[in-house]
Amino acid sequence: MSIKIKVIASMVIVLFLGTIALVFIANKNYDNSVAILGNETLHGALQAFTQLEQSDVKMLSAVSVALRTNDAIGKAYADRKRDEVYALATPIYKELKEQYGITHWNLIDAPPNNVIFARLSKPELFNDTVKRNTYLDAVKTGTLTFGKEVGKTGFVLRTVAPFMYKGKLIGYQEIGEDIDKFFKLIKKQMNSDVALIVDKKYLSHKEWQSTQASKHLADNWDAFKSNLVVSNTSETTSMLPMDISVTDVPEGGSILGVIEQNGKVFQRSLFPVQDASHRTVGCVMIVQDISAISAEMKGTRSMLILFTIVLSIILCALIIALLYLLVFNRLNRMIEMITRVVGGDVGYVTKETDEIGRFEAQIVEVLRSLLG
């Protein structure tokens, strides 16, 4: 095989492998950029969720203090006049619900009863035993406690505090709110859809069915085998994972990666949600539409790959041209020179002074000495 073919083939192979490596690096950079974007979204959503929770705990605590100082309600509660409590508290509850999103206001009898005396959200329901951790902690510590509690139909952020009247403990007051509004605020802030997924073993199908019916919504209990989509800012659940185990979600959250649907690109991530007893009972999933960003990054990647290929072709052509000009053509002339000298043209003199020229001169001198 000609040395020219060997050299050119070797050079083309090297440039081809270099191009493949650069394409791989470009793809890797794209994946890394998408992962970085996903992490930023995940941490932003987790921080927003935490801040909203802390802010609303302060609000609920302040409301709890104000309501516990209402002597009229306190007297009616102390006198065990349930109808009077409802008459006094219902207008206040409606205003709190409209202005602050408070969905739960319960008066709970102190131990050993531990039953709800009055439930403002559903006045017809009372006397059910309370075993929630926030309530038990308030009984144990004698101070205001707070936390997220998973009930029969979803998550509620609750505060519970002793209810005193004229220096005497008459029960406990529970103020709470559904955390669905958190996800609407996060969606508005981060321009991403948010879904709350809860393990169904902590929920009641019957209660969930009743809640959905009261909201004129379909019963989605059987949509997933083990989990229930309790809240979702998107109209579809097609991008939510079917078989995720909420207990396996790491504390800091995780990135599920990119999924393409209907011509759009979405980045999915999630973080765990714990209740007041620090059990992981659900997770929050963030679905971010990164179509525009992905298209821009893919465009940049394509331009880089195209530039690399074109540059490799140009470099390959330039190097081959230089090899022909500086090496292969010179070697051909050297062969012609040797042929002429051997044929008797001993007066041949090379004018080149580079390495090949000096080598050519040495060969001429050797041939002249041999030919005498």
Side-chain angles (χ1 to χ4, degrees), residues 1-7 9:
M1 182 184 291
S2 169
I3 190 173
K4 290 188 290 184
I5 296 176
K6 291 179 179 179
V7 171

Side-chain angles (χ1 to χ4, degrees), residues 4-20 309 312-313 315-320 323:
K4 290 188 290 184
I5 296 176
K6 291 179 179 179
V7 171
I8 292 173
S10 299
M11 181 187 63
V12 170
I13 290 172
V14 170
L15 288 174
F16 176 76
L17 292 176
T19 302
I20 294 298
I309 292 173
S312 297
I313 293 173
L315 286 175
C316 186
L318 180 61
I319 293 173
I320 290 174
L323 284 173

Side-chain angles (χ1 to χ4, degrees), residues 325-340:
L325 178 65
L326 301 176
V327 179
F328 299 144
N329 291 341
R330 297 285 300 284
L331 289 175
N332 288 332
R333 287 201 302 270
M334 186 182 294
I335 293 171
E336 293 176 2
M337 173 272 298
I338 292 173
T339 302
R340 289 169 57 185

Side-chain angles (χ1 to χ4, degrees), residues 72-92 105 107 117-120:
I73 295 176
K75 184 178 186 305
Y77 185 17
D79 293 340
R80 312 297 295 173
K81 296 179 179 179
R82 185 178 288 110
D83 291 340
E84 188 174 336
V85 168
Y86 283 139
L88 292 168
T90 298
I92 301 174
W105 181 9
L107 297 179
F117 175 78
R119 178 184 272 113
L120 272 299

Side-chain angles (χ1 to χ4, degrees), residues 180-341:
D180 289 4
K181 71 174 186 179
F182 286 8
F183 309 123
K184 296 176 183 178
L185 292 171
I186 293 174
K187 177 178 182 177
K188 184 178 181 180
Q189 179 178 333
M190 307 204 62
N191 195 29
S192 301
D193 279 308
V194 187
L196 174 63
I197 303 171
V198 179
D199 192 320
K200 285 197 285 193
K201 67 183 179 183
Y202 299 108
L203 304 169
S204 164
H205 185 193
K206 182 178 180 181
E207 294 289 340
W208 177 256
Q209 199 172 34
S210 175
T211 299
Q212 291 295 90
S214 67
K215 297 178 181 178
H216 304 290
L217 297 174
D219 179 15
N220 61 334
W221 183 267
D222 295 324
F224 299 107
K225 181 179 179 181
S226 302
N227 303 316
L228 178 68
V229 181
V230 174
S231 179
N232 189 8
T233 61
S234 172
E235 295 181 355
T236 177
T237 60
S238 59
M239 284 179 289
L240 303 182
M242 298 289 290
D243 56 354
I244 187 172
S245 173
V246 297
T247 57
D248 294 336
V249 180
E251 184 178 352
S254 64
I255 306 296
L256 294 183
V258 171
I259 183 173
E260 295 189 19
Q261 193 173 96
N262 300 325
K264 292 186 176 182
V265 182
F266 299 90
Q267 173 73 277
R268 301 179 302 166
S269 55
L270 49 81
F271 61 84
V273 177
Q274 296 182 334
D275 65 2
S277 61
H278 305 292
R279 298 177 303 175
T280 298
V281 295
C283 65
V284 172
M285 171 163 286
I286 305 98
V287 180
Q288 182 183 25
D289 185 348
I290 61 169
S291 301
I293 299 174
S294 176
E296 183 178 348
M297 289 192 295
K298 285 182 178 178
T300 302
R301 181 185 62 179
S302 298
M303 290 296 294
L304 177 61
I305 292 173
L306 179 62
F307 174 78
T308 301
I309 292 173
V310 171
L311 181 61
S312 297
I313 293 173
I314 293 174
L315 286 175
C316 186
L318 180 61
I319 293 173
I320 290 174
L322 289 174
L323 284 173
Y324 267 96
L325 178 65
L326 301 176
V327 179
F328 299 144
N329 291 341
R330 297 285 300 284
L331 289 175
N332 288 332
R333 287 201 302 270
M334 186 182 294
I335 293 171
E336 293 176 2
M337 173 272 298
I338 292 173
T339 302
R340 289 169 57 185
V341 172

